[in-house]
């Protein structure tokens, strides 16, 4: 009886923890414009800087502390493709071409590199404010391209 109670308690705790991270992903997916806090959350969790239970502000601070984004940013700022590319390129340590390596601090070259690598759509505009769905799509493509993640193929 005691083992059964412990088993159910552990099951409840694990489901609660998973549902919290699922709620965050649902919140990001539903966003018409992804915010810097949401992008930093995705990047910081991917890199292991914060736990999945962290807030957007905590993720933003973790990215600032590691100099992955400029200081004094606001978590509710909308994010264009160029800045999204810069943050994701930092997460996956994208090597890139000569201009990207020379001007590592320039989001425009991160955008060009991700576009060249096929991570971003061919018609992507660097100033386009990304939605939550687009941000997660690019995150998945970066995982496939730079993180050696394999997508299942239906046969």
């Amino acid at each position: 009886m005691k083992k059964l109670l412990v088993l159910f308690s552990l099951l409840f705790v694990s489901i609660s923890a998973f549902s919290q991270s699922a709620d965050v992903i649902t919140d990001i997916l539903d966003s018409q414009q992804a915010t810097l806090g949401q992008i930093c959350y995705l990047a910081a969790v991917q890199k292991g800087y914060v736990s999945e239970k962290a807030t957007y502000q905590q993720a933003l601070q973790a990215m600032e502390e590691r100099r992955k984004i400029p200081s004094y940013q606001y978590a509710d700022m909308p994010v264009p493709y160029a800045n999204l590319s810069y943050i994701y390129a930092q997460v996956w340590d994208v090597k890139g071409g000569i201009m990207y390596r020379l001007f590592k601090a320039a989001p425009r070259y991160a955008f060009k590199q991700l576009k060249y690598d096929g991570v971003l759509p061919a018609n992507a505009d660097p100033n386009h404010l990304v939605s939550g769905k687009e941000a997660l799509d690019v995150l998945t493509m970066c995982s496939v391209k730079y993180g050696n993640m394999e997508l299942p193929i239906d046969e």
Side-chain angles (χ1 to χ4, degrees), residues 131-143:
S131 68
K133 182 187 178 312
E134 291 168 326
L136 286 166
D137 288 346
V138 175
L139 180 80
T140 301
M141 290 300 296
C142 285
S143 294

Side-chain angles (χ1 to χ4, degrees), residues 36-154:
L36 184 61
Q38 292 171 332
I39 301 305
C40 286
Y41 174 85
L42 293 171
V45 168
Q46 176 71 31
K47 203 66 172 165
Y49 298 155
V50 296
S51 74
E52 291 181 1
K53 296 178 184 176
T55 64
Y56 296 147
Q57 187 62 40
Q58 290 169 330
L60 179 78
Q61 288 173 344
M63 295 292 282
E64 282 179 350
E65 289 169 3
R66 289 165 177 83
R67 298 176 191 225
K68 300 293 184 185
I69 60 170
S71 296
Y72 307 113
Q73 301 292 316
Y74 301 100
D76 59 350
M77 293 173 56
V79 178
Y81 262 132
N83 293 355
L84 174 83
S85 300
Y86 175 76
I87 293 170
Y88 286 175
Q90 294 285 314
V91 169
W92 277 279
D93 298 321
V94 174
K95 302 300 179 223
I98 187 83
M99 295 303 283
Y100 177 75
R101 284 181 274 172
L102 284 175
F103 299 101
K104 190 106 174 161
R108 67 183 282 175
Y109 292 113
F111 170 79
K112 288 182 178 191
Q113 187 62 48
L114 267 59
K115 194 170 178 181
Y116 175 78
D117 289 343
V119 172
L120 297 176
N123 61 350
D125 175 16
N127 296 318
H128 170 73
L129 297 176
V130 298
S131 68
K133 182 187 178 312
E134 291 168 326
L136 286 166
D137 288 346
V138 175
L139 180 80
T140 301
M141 290 300 296
C142 285
S143 294
V144 170
K145 181 73 177 179
Y146 308 117
N148 299 321
M149 178 178 136
E150 293 184 21
L151 294 176
I153 300 174
D154 294 334

Side-chain angles (χ1 to χ4, degrees), residues 24-31 38 41-42 56 132-133 136:
V24 172
I25 298 300
T26 302
D27 179 48
I28 294 171
L29 274 172
D30 290 342
S31 299
Q38 292 171 332
Y41 174 85
L42 293 171
Y56 296 147
K133 182 187 178 312
L136 286 166

